Amino acid sequence: MARVVFFSFDYDDVWRVNQVRNSGKFVGERRSGFRDKAEYEQVKRRGDAAIKRWIREQMLGCSVTCVLIGSATHESKWVHFEIQESISSGMGLVGVYVHKLKAPGQSSQFGTLFTPRNPLDDHTMPAGDDAISRMFADRASDRYETHTWEPTGSFGNLFGSNDLGVWVEEAASRAGRV
């Protein structure tokens, strides 16, 4: 089943994010959450309340939030807001590290040796109805998977490991969005 995916990312990573976006994994599926820079700048001038409203509108109808994680994503207040909104709305989450993808002006892969901090570590999932779940609050990163997007032609991608469709379906299933 095709899922509508909201993409959460720090705009400084837009070059890497677009490599995932243009990977061909979304043919025939509606995408949400890819911000138009001009539209975002216009909304931003109206303040935080307008940005929050705009993000919530972008998330409407989505079943999974895909957090594309670069080196500074964990510092973005808007990425954290989007993760919290996703949890509050009962959406699935999937993290995807994009730090191995090249960006303009780089002579080599950025951060290949160092995995960025995962912003899903900073968010707690609500307790469920069972006794064990009520005793232990878990982090979003404990409940939902985070994968690494491997560059085309890399050793890590030789076996087609970039299967965002499968990752999204798994996140939807874990959230009960089947």
Side-chain angles (χ1 to χ4, degrees):
M1 173 182 208
R3 303 276 176 208
V4 181
V5 179
F6 177 83
F7 289 89
S8 178
F9 58 94
D10 180 52
Y11 203 82
D12 289 343
D13 289 318
V14 73
W15 187 268
R16 291 179 180 93
V17 166
N18 279 326
Q19 290 176 62
V20 175
R21 177 185 185 188
N22 297 325
S23 68
K25 299 289 183 182
F26 303 100
V27 176
E29 294 182 27
R30 184 176 150 240
R31 297 179 287 219
S32 185
F34 278 97
R35 298 168 189 88
D36 175 89
K37 178 76 169 169
E39 183 182 359
Y40 174 71
E41 289 300 325
Q42 186 178 32
V43 172
K44 190 168 84 169
R45 283 192 287 267
R46 290 183 276 169
D48 286 2
I51 294 172
K52 288 178 181 181
R53 226 178 0 265
W54 182 67
I55 289 170
R56 287 181 181 121
E57 289 170 7
Q58 299 291 313
M59 295 177 103
L60 281 176
C62 295
S63 52
V64 172
T65 295
C66 178
V67 182
L68 296 155
I69 306 166
S71 62
T73 306
H74 70 281
E75 297 171 356
S76 169
K77 79 175 186 178
W78 297 118
V79 168
H80 286 288
F81 175 77
E82 292 161 351
I83 293 169
Q84 196 55 52
E85 283 295 303
S86 300
I87 291 169
S88 297
S89 301
M91 294 169 61
L93 289 162
V94 61
V96 179
Y97 291 114
V98 295
H99 64 292
K100 289 186 176 183
L101 300 174
K102 287 185 182 178
Q106 287 185 318
S107 58
S108 64
Q109 293 174 350
F110 173 78
T112 301
L113 299 176
F114 304 100
T115 303
R117 188 166 153 218
N118 188 344
L120 297 178
D121 289 342
D122 299 331
H123 295 271
T124 304
M125 300 301 296
D129 294 333
D130 61 311
I132 293 174
S133 174
R134 284 192 306 269
M135 257 193 296
F136 302 102
D138 58 338
R139 298 176 306 171
S141 59
D142 294 332
R143 191 166 306 174
Y144 293 103
E145 297 289 323
T146 300
H147 306 274
T148 300
W149 191 270
E150 297 291 343
T152 304
S154 71
F155 181 74
N157 192 23
L158 288 178
F159 303 104
S161 61
N162 293 337
D163 202 337
L164 192 55
V166 168
W167 302 341
V168 165
E169 284 301 316
E170 179 181 299
S173 177
R174 286 180 184 220
R177 296 275 187 123
V178 277

